[in-house]
Amino acid sequence: MIERGECPIGAEHLDDLTAPVCHTCRMEIREGFAGQRLVVVPRPAVREALNRPVTRRLLVTDCGYFPAARDHGRSRTQGAAQSIVIVCVAGSGWVRVNGVEHRIGAGTALILPAGLPHAYGAGDSSPWTIWWCHLAGSDAAELIEETGVTPGRPVLPLRSPERAVALLDEIVGSLERDQSPARLISAAGAAWKLLTQLATARVLPERGDPLERAMAFLEERLDGTVRVAELARMVGISASHLSALFREATGGGVLAHHVNLRMAKARQLLDITALPVADVASEVGYSDPFYFSRHFRRVHGVSPTEYRVQRKG
C-alpha cells in the first residue's frame, strides 16, 4: 500500500475510471484490493461495440468487485464519460455532488449519470465493499433517469440487494471470460435488467405498505365496485395520496387499475373456460353482459366472443 501524502504525479490520473486511489492524496493504489475482481473492456472494443446492434444501446465498459476497499475513491470535476452504478454490500462510503455529501451504506446503490461532476470514496472506519459497473450507449441515460436518481438524490435504498449483486456478478463473470461481442451482449442484458429492476422498485409497493394493501384489496374485489375514498380510509392515507401512488406505480388511477384487473380476469376466463360471456361478465362484477361487452371492446378492440376465437400462443 502506498503512503498517504502529496500526490507526486498530479491530477491527470483522475480520469482513470477503475484503478483504486487514495481519497486523501488521490494517488493510485496500484496493487488494488485483496480479492478484487476488475474488468476493463479495451477502448477499441468499446468503440466497435457502440456501433453494433444491441450494444450501441447499452454497453458495460468497466465492472468489478472491490472488497473492504480502504482508501478507494474518485474525484471527477467534469464527471465520467460513462454512467456509474455502485452497489454497496458492506461497510460505508460517501459521495459528494453539487457540494452536498451523501452517505452510502450497505444495501444502497449510488448512481451517477455520465457527465455529472462528483467525488466519492470509502468510509474511513468501515470501508465499503462494492460491486460496480460503468455504462455507455444511447439508452443508458434514459434507463438511469427511470431509476429516479437526481443530483440531489444520487443514492437509492435497495429493496433486494441480493438480486442486484447477482446481476453484477453475472456481468463481471461474463466479461472476465472474454470481451467478445457475444459476452458484451450478455453483460448488456444483465445491466438492462439491473437498471429496470432499480427503476421498478421505486414505484412498486413493498409488502404491507398502503399501496400494496390497496392493490391486494382490489385483486380480491374483482366482482364488486370500489370507492376510492373508502379504500383510502381502509389503508390509512388520503384519497389524493392514494391516487398519486397508483398513478406513479401503474400509470393510471385506482379505478383504472381495478378495471385492468377485471379485464385480465375476464381474458383468463375466456381463454381457459367455456363459460358463456354473460357468466364471465358476472364473475368480474358486471351485472349487464351487454355493458361488459362494450367495455371489453373499448379496452381490447374486439368483443369477448371475437377475443375467445383468436388464436393465441
Side-chain angles (χ1 to χ4, degrees), residues 125-161:
S125 60
S126 179
W128 61 15
T129 292
I130 56 173
W131 291 83
W132 56 272
C133 65
H134 291 216
L135 304 170
S138 61
D139 290 358
E142 189 171 291
L143 286 164
I144 293 291
E145 183 178 2
E146 279 298 304
T147 67
V149 297
T150 65
R153 184 175 176 261
V155 181
L156 299 178
L158 293 176
R159 187 177 301 176
S160 302

mmCIF file of all heavy atoms in Angstrom, residues 125-161:
data_model
loop_
_atom_site.group_PDB
_atom_site.id
_atom_site.type_symbol
_atom_site.label_atom_id
_atom_site.label_comp_id
_atom_site.label_asym_id
_atom_site.label_seq_id
_atom_site.Cartn_x
_atom_site.Cartn_y
_atom_site.Cartn_z
ATOM 1 N N SER A 125 -13.638 4.345 8.809
ATOM 2 C CA SER A 125 -13.695 3.355 9.877
ATOM 3 C C SER A 125 -14.158 1.991 9.387
ATOM 4 O O SER A 125 -13.747 0.957 9.913
ATOM 5 C CB SER A 125 -14.624 3.843 10.995
ATOM 6 O OG SER A 125 -15.936 4.043 10.487
ATOM 7 N N SER A 126 -15.010 1.973 8.378
ATOM 8 C CA SER A 126 -15.536 0.717 7.839
ATOM 9 C C SER A 126 -15.635 0.847 6.324
ATOM 10 O O SER A 126 -16.703 1.123 5.777
ATOM 11 C CB SER A 126 -16.913 0.399 8.439
ATOM 12 O OG SER A 126 -17.438 -0.799 7.916
ATOM 13 N N PRO A 127 -14.520 0.694 5.611
ATOM 14 C CA PRO A 127 -14.524 0.929 4.163
ATOM 15 C C PRO A 127 -15.483 -0.002 3.432
ATOM 16 O O PRO A 127 -15.642 -1.164 3.809
ATOM 17 C CB PRO A 127 -13.075 0.668 3.750
ATOM 18 C CG PRO A 127 -12.500 -0.158 4.847
ATOM 19 C CD PRO A 127 -13.199 0.253 6.094
ATOM 20 N N TRP A 128 -16.099 0.551 2.425
ATOM 21 C CA TRP A 128 -17.144 -0.195 1.733
ATOM 22 C C TRP A 128 -16.635 -1.394 0.957
ATOM 23 O O TRP A 128 -15.489 -1.456 0.525
ATOM 24 C CB TRP A 128 -17.947 0.721 0.835
ATOM 25 C CG TRP A 128 -17.199 1.414 -0.278
ATOM 26 C CD1 TRP A 128 -15.951 1.141 -0.775
ATOM 27 C CD2 TRP A 128 -17.695 2.510 -1.051
ATOM 28 N NE1 TRP A 128 -15.630 1.983 -1.798
ATOM 29 C CE2 TRP A 128 -16.688 2.837 -1.998
ATOM 30 C CE3 TRP A 128 -18.880 3.241 -1.051
ATOM 31 C CZ2 TRP A 128 -16.836 3.869 -2.923
ATOM 32 C CZ3 TRP A 128 -19.030 4.270 -1.974
ATOM 33 C CH2 TRP A 128 -18.023 4.580 -2.886
ATOM 34 N N THR A 129 -17.528 -2.355 0.781
ATOM 35 C CA THR A 129 -17.380 -3.438 -0.181
ATOM 36 C C THR A 129 -18.406 -3.183 -1.267
ATOM 37 O O THR A 129 -19.604 -3.060 -0.979
ATOM 38 C CB THR A 129 -17.616 -4.809 0.471
ATOM 39 O OG1 THR A 129 -16.547 -5.069 1.401
ATOM 40 C CG2 THR A 129 -17.654 -5.914 -0.573
ATOM 41 N N ILE A 130 -17.948 -3.084 -2.510
ATOM 42 C CA ILE A 130 -18.840 -2.650 -3.587
ATOM 43 C C ILE A 130 -18.725 -3.531 -4.825
ATOM 44 O O ILE A 130 -17.672 -4.092 -5.126
ATOM 45 C CB ILE A 130 -18.564 -1.184 -3.997
ATOM 46 C CG1 ILE A 130 -17.094 -0.988 -4.408
ATOM 47 C CG2 ILE A 130 -18.954 -0.234 -2.877
ATOM 48 C CD1 ILE A 130 -16.791 0.389 -4.983
ATOM 49 N N TRP A 131 -19.845 -3.651 -5.501
ATOM 50 C CA TRP A 131 -19.922 -4.133 -6.878
ATOM 51 C C TRP A 131 -20.253 -2.922 -7.738
ATOM 52 O O TRP A 131 -21.025 -2.065 -7.322
ATOM 53 C CB TRP A 131 -21.022 -5.175 -7.035
ATOM 54 C CG TRP A 131 -20.756 -6.471 -6.348
ATOM 55 C CD1 TRP A 131 -20.979 -6.771 -5.033
ATOM 56 C CD2 TRP A 131 -20.237 -7.655 -6.942
ATOM 57 N NE1 TRP A 131 -20.627 -8.064 -4.767
ATOM 58 C CE2 TRP A 131 -20.166 -8.637 -5.918
ATOM 59 C CE3 TRP A 131 -19.820 -8.005 -8.231
ATOM 60 C CZ2 TRP A 131 -19.697 -9.934 -6.152
ATOM 61 C CZ3 TRP A 131 -19.362 -9.286 -8.466
ATOM 62 C CH2 TRP A 131 -19.299 -10.232 -7.440
ATOM 63 N N TRP A 132 -19.687 -2.852 -8.931
ATOM 64 C CA TRP A 132 -19.899 -1.635 -9.715
ATOM 65 C C TRP A 132 -19.776 -1.927 -11.201
ATOM 66 O O TRP A 132 -19.173 -2.929 -11.625
ATOM 67 C CB TRP A 132 -18.901 -0.554 -9.312
ATOM 68 C CG TRP A 132 -17.454 -0.978 -9.431
ATOM 69 C CD1 TRP A 132 -16.704 -1.598 -8.476
ATOM 70 C CD2 TRP A 132 -16.624 -0.859 -10.577
ATOM 71 N NE1 TRP A 132 -15.447 -1.852 -8.952
ATOM 72 C CE2 TRP A 132 -15.361 -1.405 -10.236
ATOM 73 C CE3 TRP A 132 -16.798 -0.328 -11.853
ATOM 74 C CZ2 TRP A 132 -14.294 -1.448 -11.124
ATOM 75 C CZ3 TRP A 132 -15.735 -0.364 -12.757
ATOM 76 C CH2 TRP A 132 -14.501 -0.916 -12.384
ATOM 77 N N CYS A 133 -20.361 -1.035 -11.984
ATOM 78 C CA CYS A 133 -20.180 -1.091 -13.436
ATOM 79 C C CYS A 133 -20.318 0.303 -14.024
ATOM 80 O O CYS A 133 -20.936 1.185 -13.418
ATOM 81 C CB CYS A 133 -21.168 -2.056 -14.090
ATOM 82 S SG CYS A 133 -22.901 -1.578 -13.956
ATOM 83 N N HIS A 134 -19.720 0.497 -15.176
ATOM 84 C CA HIS A 134 -19.829 1.732 -15.938
ATOM 85 C C HIS A 134 -20.574 1.421 -17.224
ATOM 86 O O HIS A 134 -20.306 0.391 -17.862
ATOM 87 C CB HIS A 134 -18.446 2.289 -16.267
ATOM 88 C CG HIS A 134 -17.703 2.798 -15.078
ATOM 89 N ND1 HIS A 134 -16.894 3.906 -15.137
ATOM 90 C CD2 HIS A 134 -17.643 2.372 -13.795
ATOM 91 C CE1 HIS A 134 -16.358 4.136 -13.952
ATOM 92 N NE2 HIS A 134 -16.803 3.206 -13.122
ATOM 93 N N LEU A 135 -21.500 2.297 -17.599
ATOM 94 C CA LEU A 135 -22.404 2.025 -18.705
ATOM 95 C C LEU A 135 -22.378 3.136 -19.743
ATOM 96 O O LEU A 135 -22.401 4.313 -19.395
ATOM 97 C CB LEU A 135 -23.835 1.866 -18.176
ATOM 98 C CG LEU A 135 -24.027 0.793 -17.096
ATOM 99 C CD1 LEU A 135 -25.413 0.905 -16.492
ATOM 100 C CD2 LEU A 135 -23.801 -0.596 -17.671
ATOM 101 N N ALA A 136 -22.353 2.733 -21.002
ATOM 102 C CA ALA A 136 -22.460 3.667 -22.121
ATOM 103 C C ALA A 136 -23.582 3.189 -23.035
ATOM 104 O O ALA A 136 -24.219 2.166 -22.780
ATOM 105 C CB ALA A 136 -21.128 3.739 -22.875
ATOM 106 N N GLY A 137 -23.834 3.940 -24.097
ATOM 107 C CA GLY A 137 -24.856 3.560 -25.060
ATOM 108 C C GLY A 137 -25.986 4.561 -25.127
ATOM 109 O O GLY A 137 -26.197 5.358 -24.214
ATOM 110 N N SER A 138 -26.744 4.502 -26.224
ATOM 111 C CA SER A 138 -27.771 5.508 -26.488
ATOM 112 C C SER A 138 -28.917 5.469 -25.485
ATOM 113 O O SER A 138 -29.582 6.482 -25.261
ATOM 114 C CB SER A 138 -28.331 5.314 -27.903
ATOM 115 O OG SER A 138 -28.938 4.024 -28.034
ATOM 116 N N ASP A 139 -29.169 4.304 -24.869
ATOM 117 C CA ASP A 139 -30.291 4.185 -23.930
ATOM 118 C C ASP A 139 -29.874 4.334 -22.472
ATOM 119 O O ASP A 139 -30.734 4.312 -21.580
ATOM 120 C CB ASP A 139 -30.990 2.834 -24.105
ATOM 121 C CG ASP A 139 -31.751 2.736 -25.414
ATOM 122 O OD1 ASP A 139 -31.769 3.731 -26.163
ATOM 123 O OD2 ASP A 139 -32.324 1.676 -25.695
ATOM 124 N N ALA A 140 -28.598 4.462 -22.217
ATOM 125 C CA ALA A 140 -28.115 4.474 -20.835
ATOM 126 C C ALA A 140 -28.723 5.630 -20.040
ATOM 127 O O ALA A 140 -29.200 5.442 -18.915
ATOM 128 C CB ALA A 140 -26.592 4.537 -20.799
ATOM 129 N N ALA A 141 -28.715 6.829 -20.614
ATOM 130 C CA ALA A 141 -29.214 7.992 -19.879
ATOM 131 C C ALA A 141 -30.688 7.843 -19.536
ATOM 132 O O ALA A 141 -31.120 8.184 -18.428
ATOM 133 C CB ALA A 141 -28.984 9.265 -20.698
ATOM 134 N N GLU A 142 -31.473 7.311 -20.479
ATOM 135 C CA GLU A 142 -32.907 7.149 -20.238
ATOM 136 C C GLU A 142 -33.168 6.112 -19.157
ATOM 137 O O GLU A 142 -34.037 6.298 -18.292
ATOM 138 C CB GLU A 142 -33.583 6.733 -21.542
ATOM 139 C CG GLU A 142 -35.086 6.741 -21.502
ATOM 140 C CD GLU A 142 -35.681 6.527 -22.882
ATOM 141 O OE1 GLU A 142 -35.556 7.426 -23.733
ATOM 142 O OE2 GLU A 142 -36.261 5.441 -23.090
ATOM 143 N N LEU A 143 -32.406 5.027 -19.176
ATOM 144 C CA LEU A 143 -32.565 3.999 -18.150
ATOM 145 C C LEU A 143 -32.159 4.529 -16.778
ATOM 146 O O LEU A 143 -32.826 4.256 -15.774
ATOM 147 C CB LEU A 143 -31.731 2.774 -18.516
ATOM 148 C CG LEU A 143 -32.281 1.916 -19.656
ATOM 149 C CD1 LEU A 143 -31.211 0.984 -20.200
ATOM 150 C CD2 LEU A 143 -33.486 1.108 -19.185
ATOM 151 N N ILE A 144 -31.075 5.285 -16.732
ATOM 152 C CA ILE A 144 -30.632 5.890 -15.474
ATOM 153 C C ILE A 144 -31.704 6.839 -14.945
ATOM 154 O O ILE A 144 -32.038 6.843 -13.753
ATOM 155 C CB ILE A 144 -29.306 6.640 -15.669
ATOM 156 C CG1 ILE A 144 -28.161 5.661 -15.979
ATOM 157 C CG2 ILE A 144 -28.972 7.490 -14.454
ATOM 158 C CD1 ILE A 144 -27.750 4.778 -14.843
ATOM 159 N N GLU A 145 -32.283 7.636 -15.821
ATOM 160 C CA GLU A 145 -33.318 8.584 -15.406
ATOM 161 C C GLU A 145 -34.512 7.860 -14.797
ATOM 162 O O GLU A 145 -35.113 8.330 -13.824
ATOM 163 C CB GLU A 145 -33.762 9.423 -16.597
ATOM 164 C CG GLU A 145 -34.779 10.496 -16.246
ATOM 165 C CD GLU A 145 -35.174 11.348 -17.441
ATOM 166 O OE1 GLU A 145 -34.688 11.081 -18.559
ATOM 167 O OE2 GLU A 145 -35.991 12.274 -17.259
ATOM 168 N N GLU A 146 -34.868 6.693 -15.344
ATOM 169 C CA GLU A 146 -36.012 5.946 -14.844
ATOM 170 C C GLU A 146 -35.810 5.427 -13.427
ATOM 171 O O GLU A 146 -36.773 5.117 -12.734
ATOM 172 C CB GLU A 146 -36.337 4.770 -15.771
ATOM 173 C CG GLU A 146 -37.152 5.154 -16.994
ATOM 174 C CD GLU A 146 -38.504 5.727 -16.605
ATOM 175 O OE1 GLU A 146 -39.269 5.056 -15.890
ATOM 176 O OE2 GLU A 146 -38.796 6.860 -17.015
ATOM 177 N N THR A 147 -34.568 5.325 -12.978
ATOM 178 C CA THR A 147 -34.335 4.878 -11.606
ATOM 179 C C THR A 147 -34.737 5.931 -10.590
ATOM 180 O O THR A 147 -34.857 5.627 -9.394
ATOM 181 C CB THR A 147 -32.859 4.518 -11.374
ATOM 182 O OG1 THR A 147 -32.048 5.700 -11.469
ATOM 183 C CG2 THR A 147 -32.384 3.474 -12.384
ATOM 184 N N GLY A 148 -34.929 7.172 -11.050
ATOM 185 C CA GLY A 148 -35.361 8.232 -10.145
ATOM 186 C C GLY A 148 -34.245 8.992 -9.472
ATOM 187 O O GLY A 148 -34.508 9.871 -8.648
ATOM 188 N N VAL A 149 -32.987 8.695 -9.809
ATOM 189 C CA VAL A 149 -31.895 9.439 -9.188
ATOM 190 C C VAL A 149 -31.859 10.860 -9.744
ATOM 191 O O VAL A 149 -32.243 11.116 -10.890
ATOM 192 C CB VAL A 149 -30.530 8.760 -9.410
ATOM 193 C CG1 VAL A 149 -30.482 7.402 -8.771
ATOM 194 C CG2 VAL A 149 -30.181 8.686 -10.886
ATOM 195 N N THR A 150 -31.395 11.776 -8.926
ATOM 196 C CA THR A 150 -31.189 13.171 -9.308
ATOM 197 C C THR A 150 -29.873 13.620 -8.694
ATOM 198 O O THR A 150 -29.336 12.941 -7.801
ATOM 199 C CB THR A 150 -32.320 14.066 -8.788
ATOM 200 O OG1 THR A 150 -32.279 14.076 -7.344
ATOM 201 C CG2 THR A 150 -33.691 13.562 -9.257
ATOM 202 N N PRO A 151 -29.337 14.760 -9.121
ATOM 203 C CA PRO A 151 -28.129 15.259 -8.463
ATOM 204 C C PRO A 151 -28.310 15.455 -6.963
ATOM 205 O O PRO A 151 -27.366 15.306 -6.198
ATOM 206 C CB PRO A 151 -27.879 16.590 -9.179
ATOM 207 C CG PRO A 151 -28.455 16.398 -10.542
ATOM 208 C CD PRO A 151 -29.678 15.557 -10.324
ATOM 209 N N GLY A 152 -29.536 15.762 -6.535
ATOM 210 C CA GLY A 152 -29.798 15.922 -5.116
ATOM 211 C C GLY A 152 -30.098 14.619 -4.397
ATOM 212 O O GLY A 152 -30.127 14.578 -3.160
ATOM 213 N N ARG A 153 -30.302 13.551 -5.155
ATOM 214 C CA ARG A 153 -30.612 12.241 -4.567
ATOM 215 C C ARG A 153 -29.938 11.137 -5.395
ATOM 216 O O ARG A 153 -30.573 10.402 -6.133
ATOM 217 C CB ARG A 153 -32.125 12.016 -4.537
ATOM 218 C CG ARG A 153 -32.562 10.725 -3.845
ATOM 219 C CD ARG A 153 -34.094 10.669 -3.752
ATOM 220 N NE ARG A 153 -34.551 9.412 -3.184
ATOM 221 C CZ ARG A 153 -34.998 8.368 -3.897
ATOM 222 N NH1 ARG A 153 -35.053 8.453 -5.220
ATOM 223 N NH2 ARG A 153 -35.403 7.276 -3.290
ATOM 224 N N PRO A 154 -28.614 11.020 -5.271
ATOM 225 C CA PRO A 154 -27.891 10.034 -6.086
ATOM 226 C C PRO A 154 -27.839 8.639 -5.469
ATOM 227 O O PRO A 154 -27.365 7.710 -6.116
ATOM 228 C CB PRO A 154 -26.488 10.630 -6.164
ATOM 229 C CG PRO A 154 -26.332 11.352 -4.854
ATOM 230 C CD PRO A 154 -27.707 11.903 -4.516
ATOM 231 N N VAL A 155 -28.310 8.494 -4.210
ATOM 232 C CA VAL A 155 -28.221 7.216 -3.504
ATOM 233 C C VAL A 155 -29.625 6.651 -3.315
ATOM 234 O O VAL A 155 -30.524 7.345 -2.838
ATOM 235 C CB VAL A 155 -27.531 7.378 -2.136
ATOM 236 C CG1 VAL A 155 -27.419 6.025 -1.431
ATOM 237 C CG2 VAL A 155 -26.148 8.001 -2.301
ATOM 238 N N LEU A 156 -29.808 5.382 -3.700
ATOM 239 C CA LEU A 156 -31.110 4.731 -3.592
ATOM 240 C C LEU A 156 -31.030 3.558 -2.619
ATOM 241 O O LEU A 156 -30.065 2.782 -2.658
ATOM 242 C CB LEU A 156 -31.561 4.180 -4.953
ATOM 243 C CG LEU A 156 -31.746 5.163 -6.100
ATOM 244 C CD1 LEU A 156 -32.143 4.390 -7.355
ATOM 245 C CD2 LEU A 156 -32.783 6.213 -5.761
ATOM 246 N N PRO A 157 -32.043 3.377 -1.769
ATOM 247 C CA PRO A 157 -32.104 2.146 -0.970
ATOM 248 C C PRO A 157 -32.483 0.987 -1.876
ATOM 249 O O PRO A 157 -33.272 1.148 -2.813
ATOM 250 C CB PRO A 157 -33.207 2.447 0.045
ATOM 251 C CG PRO A 157 -34.074 3.474 -0.632
ATOM 252 C CD PRO A 157 -33.149 4.298 -1.486
ATOM 253 N N LEU A 158 -31.927 -0.174 -1.614
ATOM 254 C CA LEU A 158 -32.213 -1.355 -2.414
ATOM 255 C C LEU A 158 -33.189 -2.256 -1.687
ATOM 256 O O LEU A 158 -32.943 -2.655 -0.547
ATOM 257 C CB LEU A 158 -30.924 -2.126 -2.707
ATOM 258 C CG LEU A 158 -29.911 -1.426 -3.602
ATOM 259 C CD1 LEU A 158 -28.655 -2.273 -3.721
ATOM 260 C CD2 LEU A 158 -30.496 -1.150 -4.974
ATOM 261 N N ARG A 159 -34.282 -2.583 -2.362
ATOM 262 C CA ARG A 159 -35.260 -3.487 -1.764
ATOM 263 C C ARG A 159 -34.723 -4.912 -1.726
ATOM 264 O O ARG A 159 -34.974 -5.660 -0.785
ATOM 265 C CB ARG A 159 -36.561 -3.436 -2.561
ATOM 266 C CG ARG A 159 -37.688 -4.207 -1.936
ATOM 267 C CD ARG A 159 -38.964 -4.050 -2.736
ATOM 268 N NE ARG A 159 -39.375 -2.661 -2.854
ATOM 269 C CZ ARG A 159 -40.421 -2.258 -3.564
ATOM 270 N NH1 ARG A 159 -41.144 -3.150 -4.229
ATOM 271 N NH2 ARG A 159 -40.740 -0.978 -3.631
ATOM 272 N N SER A 160 -33.982 -5.297 -2.759
ATOM 273 C CA SER A 160 -33.412 -6.656 -2.837
ATOM 274 C C SER A 160 -31.946 -6.553 -3.246
ATOM 275 O O SER A 160 -31.609 -6.781 -4.419
ATOM 276 C CB SER A 160 -34.189 -7.511 -3.844
ATOM 277 O OG SER A 160 -35.555 -7.598 -3.509
ATOM 278 N N PRO A 161 -31.072 -6.216 -2.307
ATOM 279 C CA PRO A 161 -29.642 -6.086 -2.662
ATOM 280 C C PRO A 161 -29.071 -7.351 -3.293
ATOM 281 O O PRO A 161 -28.227 -7.270 -4.194
ATOM 282 C CB PRO A 161 -28.975 -5.796 -1.308
ATOM 283 C CG PRO A 161 -30.050 -5.237 -0.449
ATOM 284 C CD PRO A 161 -31.313 -5.923 -0.892
#
